């Protein structure tokens, strides 16, 4: 139970980060994520490289990475690291 009560400061802190993140993943599908998902869908390949998506769509690698993480959490994509 991640709680902290500091009465001298008038604070009661609770950790709800994990619950909050899981709920937001299901509710937020940003325009960049939509673009990435449709690009992957229309390019019928066995795999795609994040750098290729970034270059083709002219978006940052961080945006592609975040979208990929969300797709994995939603079960829409499998993620492999090679190298």
């Amino acid at each position: 139970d991640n709680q902290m009560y500091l009465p001298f400061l008038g604070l009661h802190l609770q950790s709800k980060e994990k619950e909050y993140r899981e709920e937001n993943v299901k509710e937020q599908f940003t325009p960049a994520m939509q673009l990435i998902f449709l690009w992957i869908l229309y390019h019928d390949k066995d795999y795609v490289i994040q750098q290729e998506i970034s270059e083709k769509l002219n978006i940052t690698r961080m945006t592609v990475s975040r979208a990929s993480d969300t797709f994995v959490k939603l079960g829409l994509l499998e993620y492999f690291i090679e190298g």
Side-chain angles (χ1 to χ4, degrees):
D1 200 29
N2 297 324
Q3 295 184 5
M4 181 183 297
Y5 180 60
L6 303 170
F8 55 91
L9 295 177
L11 294 175
H12 181 245
L13 306 173
Q14 290 181 300
S15 177
K16 293 188 178 185
E17 181 179 339
K18 186 175 181 181
E19 295 172 14
Y20 177 74
R21 281 187 147 184
E22 289 175 359
E23 290 174 4
N24 278 346
V25 165
K26 295 177 183 175
E27 294 175 5
Q28 293 181 356
F29 210 75
T30 65
M33 290 171 59
Q34 292 174 26
L35 179 64
I36 294 166
F37 185 76
L38 290 173
W39 189 88
I40 292 170
L41 186 66
Y42 289 130
H43 289 80
D44 189 26
K45 296 181 178 182
D46 291 335
Y47 66 92
V48 289
I49 301 171
Q50 288 185 351
Q51 183 177 354
E52 178 185 3
I53 296 170
S54 175
E55 291 170 358
K56 297 286 185 180
L57 299 178
N58 196 27
I59 54 179
T60 66
R61 290 182 189 170
M62 181 57 76
T63 300
V64 176
S65 179
R66 287 181 182 152
S68 299
D69 291 342
T70 302
F71 297 151
V72 169
K73 288 178 184 175
L74 293 172
L76 300 172
L77 185 72
E78 291 182 6
Y79 192 84
F80 299 98
I81 299 175
E82 291 185 9

